[in-house]
Amino acid sequence: MSLLEVSGVTKRFGGIVANAAISFAVADGELVGVIGPNGAGKSTLFDVITGFYRPEAGRVRFQGAEITGRRPDEITRMGIGRTFQKLRPFTGMTVLENVMVGALLRAPEPAVAREQALHYLELVGLADQARAYARELSTGQRKRLEMARAMATRPRLLLLDEVTGGVDQRSIPGLVGLIARLREEGVTLLVIEHNMRVIMSIARRIIALHLGEKIADGPPEEVVRDRRLIEAYLGAHYA
Ligand code: ADP
Ligand code: MG
């Protein structure tokens, strides 16, 4: 049985088809990359899986149970965590408190949530910033904070949306190392990544989206040779 099963998911915004009958399955323990040009429908797909949008057609199943149309908090509780492309930490809270918000989903009391939050801050390399306010963090550090908050909800499946997007070049290797580290924690990962070199280095399977459609799904070395993908990134002229 697959951990996650997406079948025929279609999501429209007015005349725009952001997701067009997308189907794929993710097995327990996989790290699957999701690529595609801006506007391909990647973030929308995450929004559908995590219950922020209800698809017009199709289904999402998690651990065998249908979760289509369930509320985001129910889906988080079932074991799907996510980070957001557009970061929105609680800027008036400390770094520790931000992660405690995630941990409180399951922790029986604040003291336990605090303990767990500290553990995940350690994991992402932000332990020294625990008492800082979220607004004081750099973009790279905010991405780490997002990952700690999401991990604190104890997901079985974690969706990461452009962890290296918008951070300075020097911060990228550390973030990539951290993604690999999360996998060692036992979470299955679905990773949206704009940087092709980054995704090639961590994923053994890549799903490519273009204009809402899934155009490729396979090992990185096959996917990068896919004619439709090359066209999508470079224009038909180059292909
Ligand atoms: P990606 O993450 O691959 O860059 P998105 O999923 O954000 O792509 O967007 C896919 C398409 O859906 C784009 O054309 C985008 O403009 C459109 N879209 C996304 N969210 C909304 C929304 N809330 N309202 C209207 N259009 C949207
Ligand atoms: Mg996006």
Side-chain angles (χ1 to χ4, degrees):
M1 188 181 71
S2 303
L3 184 63
L4 177 75
E5 208 181 313
V6 172
S7 30
V9 160
T10 296
K11 174 72 195 128
R12 296 189 191 86
F13 295 106
I16 295 167
V17 185
N19 288 164
I22 292 178
S23 299
F24 64 92
V26 176
D28 199 16
E30 268 194 298
L31 187 163
V32 180
V34 179
I35 62 169
N38 267 329
K42 306 181 296 294
S43 294
T44 300
L45 180 63
F46 276 16
D47 287 332
V48 168
I49 294 170
T50 53
F52 286 86
Y53 293 134
R54 182 188 279 270
E56 276 81 35
R59 284 151 189 250
V60 182
R61 281 196 192 81
F62 180 63
Q63 301 186 111
E66 174 146 10
I67 59 168
T68 331
R70 294 224 191 187
R71 288 198 322 264
D73 60 303
E74 289 178 314
I75 292 173
T76 311
R77 189 172 291 282
M78 289 176 84
I80 302 183
R82 75 172 291 180
T83 66
F84 291 89
Q85 182 177 356
K86 297 196 178 81
L87 301 174
R88 38 188 167 185
F90 300 107
T91 50
M93 286 186 183
T94 65
V95 166
L96 178 64
E97 286 163 350
N98 266 275
V99 181
M100 281 179 68
V101 170
L104 281 166
L105 179 78
R106 296 191 207 282
E109 51 175 294
V112 176
R114 190 170 184 282
E115 234 13 71
Q116 293 176 350
L118 284 168
H119 167 78
Y120 288 109
L121 282 174
E122 190 81 45
L123 179 76
V124 303
L126 278 182
D128 291 345
Q129 278 75 35
R131 272 166 197 80
Y133 282 92
R135 61 171 172 267
E136 300 171 55
L137 300 183
S138 68
T139 307
Q141 288 175 322
R142 284 183 189 210
K143 302 269 182 169
R144 288 174 184 269
L145 174 59
E146 270 284 285
M147 287 197 261
R149 185 199 46 72
M151 283 298 284
T153 67
R154 308 268 186 117
R156 198 159 160 206
L157 171 68
L158 179 59
L159 314 184
L160 301 178
D161 196 345
E162 298 210 17
V163 166
T164 68
V167 307
D168 70 284
Q169 289 293 320
R170 282 168 306 166
S171 307
I172 292 178
L175 287 167
V176 174
L178 179 54
I179 296 173
R181 182 78 185 72
L182 296 185
R183 195 185 185 189
E184 288 165 18
E185 290 285 302
V187 285
T188 301
L189 287 156
L190 198 52
V191 181
I192 294 177
E193 181 53 63
H194 218 70
N195 187 319
M196 200 72 97
R197 207 186 305 160
V198 165
I199 203 64
M200 299 269 303
S201 73
I202 55 173
R204 266 182 276 153
R205 175 183 167 205
I206 291 177
I207 291 171
L209 303 184
H210 179 44
L211 297 174
E213 283 182 49
K214 187 177 97 169
I215 58 169
D217 185 346
E221 53 290 358
E222 267 174 39
V223 169
V224 291
R225 282 201 307 267
D226 187 274
R227 189 183 171 84
R228 291 180 70 191
L229 183 73
I230 296 167
E231 285 180 11
Y233 273 95
L234 300 174
H237 175 73
Y238 287 90

